[in-house]
DNA sequence: AGCTACCAAGCAAGCGCTTGGTTTGGCAAG
DNA sequence: CTTGCCAAACCAAGCGCTTGCTTGGTAGCT
């Protein structure tokens, strides 16, 4: 009965398995249409038992978001560190966010952008703080490229266009097609710095 | 008590006012978190009276989507007809979709992409058919541009990147800022055909 | 003994929707 | 100008069901 494919960056403690299952369901049906009974059934326990691990359903959603953003912030950091030139840093960032979005943390990433408003005011603010750290990594790299004259548009706006392009990919990109993540990343990078 | 700002392309019959109010609430709180009592209160009637105009809550959501997609499909048609060169057609398309997305049909457009899965299978298919007509207009113009050598990437993928860029704008674009819709449109067109 | 992990049962609240009856505005016959 | 009528629009009340969450207790490991 259990066995939802695990999400990268989440361990397989009872709590972790609960999180992976919840993320999967939240992505499939949305937060509101997913009941605690659904989540419980997905890991093979009773609905009431969930509240031994989380104090509310909303807490589960927040935990999913927190885990995935922490994990992927670290991934972005590595992406920047692993490159020498600003252009290569950008390419690595795009690849990293694409991997997060259509790859190993796909469900959780989709949940994060789609179910944002299901969090209460307080937790929304808390998540926003984490999100800002994440965004700053992007802005640093884009700012450096802009200063170097690699593109003319405002770096803030460029980031928003990138967020849109990458954030929409789960709605169409399929891993088992001709187009690889690397090729798509190059294609997106070309939207920023122009083609060869 | 009533007076939700109307959405372009929806009349102000009782039914139309109900639709505008519903679209506004759906965007604000999401479909599931919006109760029929909320919608009723927004137009100043009793919750039960809603079912004189619509046979279910889901029907309201579908009606919102149908109205907005029909209205904006016509807008796209005009945008293409009003331009002479393929490049100007593209620019007009981007402007039109931006206007729909952050302008006069903003709430309904956001609802359409966000609350898709709240429709049952049948109505989802029905909406998809309308959506395909809409998309075909884009693909025709992009296909012509591609054939003319204005850009190298696959037109289907280019459309998806555009969908992402434009679809994300409600999350950051503000009408009362320095950046106008026209300037943003030019900026986005440059992501397709390269800068001057 | 004490901790983690769980079960079985169920409560209070809120939900979409139904029902039966009442108001309202327009319009044609007398 | 009145009267009678009808359909559209709405009200008041509440039914049946699902929801998130609580409670009190138990099994097993250390």
């Amino acid at each position: 009965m259990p066995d939802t494919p695990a999400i990268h960056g989440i361990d397989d403690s009872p709590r972790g398995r609960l999180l992976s299952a919840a993320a999967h369901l939240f992505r499939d049906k949305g937060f509101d249409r997913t009941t605690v009974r659904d989540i419980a059934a997905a890991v093979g326990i009773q609905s009431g038992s969930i509240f031994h691990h989380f104090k509310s359903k909303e807490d589960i959603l927040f935990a999913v978001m927190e885990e995935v953003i922490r994990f992927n912030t670290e991934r972005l950091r590595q992406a920047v560190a692993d490159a020498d030139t600003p252009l290569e840093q950008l390419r690595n960032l795009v690849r990293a966010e694409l991997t997060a979005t259509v790859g190993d943390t796909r469900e959780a990433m989709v949940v994060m952008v789609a179910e944002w408003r299901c969090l209460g005011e307080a937790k929304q603010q808390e998540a926003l703080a984490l999100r800002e750290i994440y965004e700053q990594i992007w802005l640093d790299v884009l700012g450096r490229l802009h200063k170097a004259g690699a593109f003319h548009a405002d770096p803030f706006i460029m980031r928003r266009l990138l967020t849109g392009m990458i954030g929409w990919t789960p709605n169409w990109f399929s891993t088992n097609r001709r187009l690889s993540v690397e090729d798509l990343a190059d294609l997106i990078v070309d939207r920023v710095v122009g083609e060869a």
Side-chain angles (χ1 to χ4, degrees), chain A residues 2-185:
Chain A
D3 272 342
T4 316
I7 289 173
H8 206 159
I10 296 182
D11 57 20
D12 70 347
S13 60
R15 186 190 128 106
R17 266 174 275 126
L18 226 26
L19 281 182
S20 281
H24 186 76
L25 286 164
F26 289 164
R27 176 187 118 84
D28 241 48
K29 325 202 297 173
F31 177 76
D32 289 314
R33 297 174 106 77
T34 302
T35 69
V36 293
R37 288 166 175 83
D38 290 334
I39 304 172
V43 299
I45 62 175
Q46 293 294 94
S47 68
S49 306
I50 286 190
F51 297 91
H52 176 71
H53 301 277
F54 300 93
K55 68 181 243 287
S56 73
K57 184 187 168 191
E58 188 192 319
D59 254 39
I60 303 178
L61 176 61
F62 180 74
V64 168
M65 293 187 178
E66 189 178 14
E67 299 274 349
V68 75
I69 201 168
R70 290 215 133 93
F71 180 78
N72 284 310
T73 299
E74 191 47 41
R75 172 148 46 190
L76 284 205
R77 286 234 170 78
Q78 269 304 319
V80 173
D82 287 353
D84 297 323
T85 70
L87 180 59
E88 283 311 306
Q89 289 180 333
L90 174 65
R91 194 180 312 276
N92 276 3
L93 279 187
V94 174
R95 284 183 185 180
E97 193 163 290
L98 269 178
T99 303
T101 306
V102 301
D104 55 4
T105 58
R106 180 168 185 157
E107 5 253 337
M109 284 294 278
V110 173
V111 166
M112 204 175 59
V113 305
E115 314 294 340
W116 192 262
R117 60 175 151 214
C118 294
L119 290 177
E121 192 75 28
K123 300 220 169 265
Q124 230 172 81
Q125 223 59 33
E126 213 174 323
L128 191 66
L130 294 174
R131 179 89 194 164
E132 261 161 27
I133 298 173
Y134 181 95
E135 288 300 320
Q136 195 55 53
I137 300 177
W138 274 97
L139 292 174
D140 285 348
V141 169
L142 285 172
R144 250 171 275 151
L145 268 168
H146 181 258
K147 224 165 203 168
F151 63 90
H152 302 101
D154 182 314
F156 286 87
I157 291 175
M158 191 59 89
R159 168 55 185 156
R160 274 140 185 178
L161 296 182
L162 281 166
T163 304
M165 285 190 272
I166 298 173
W168 186 246
T169 51
N171 291 109
W172 60 272
F173 184 86
S174 173
T175 315
N176 46 13
R177 283 248 181 77
R178 290 173 304 162
L179 186 68
S180 70
V181 167
E182 285 75 20
D183 289 343
L184 178 56

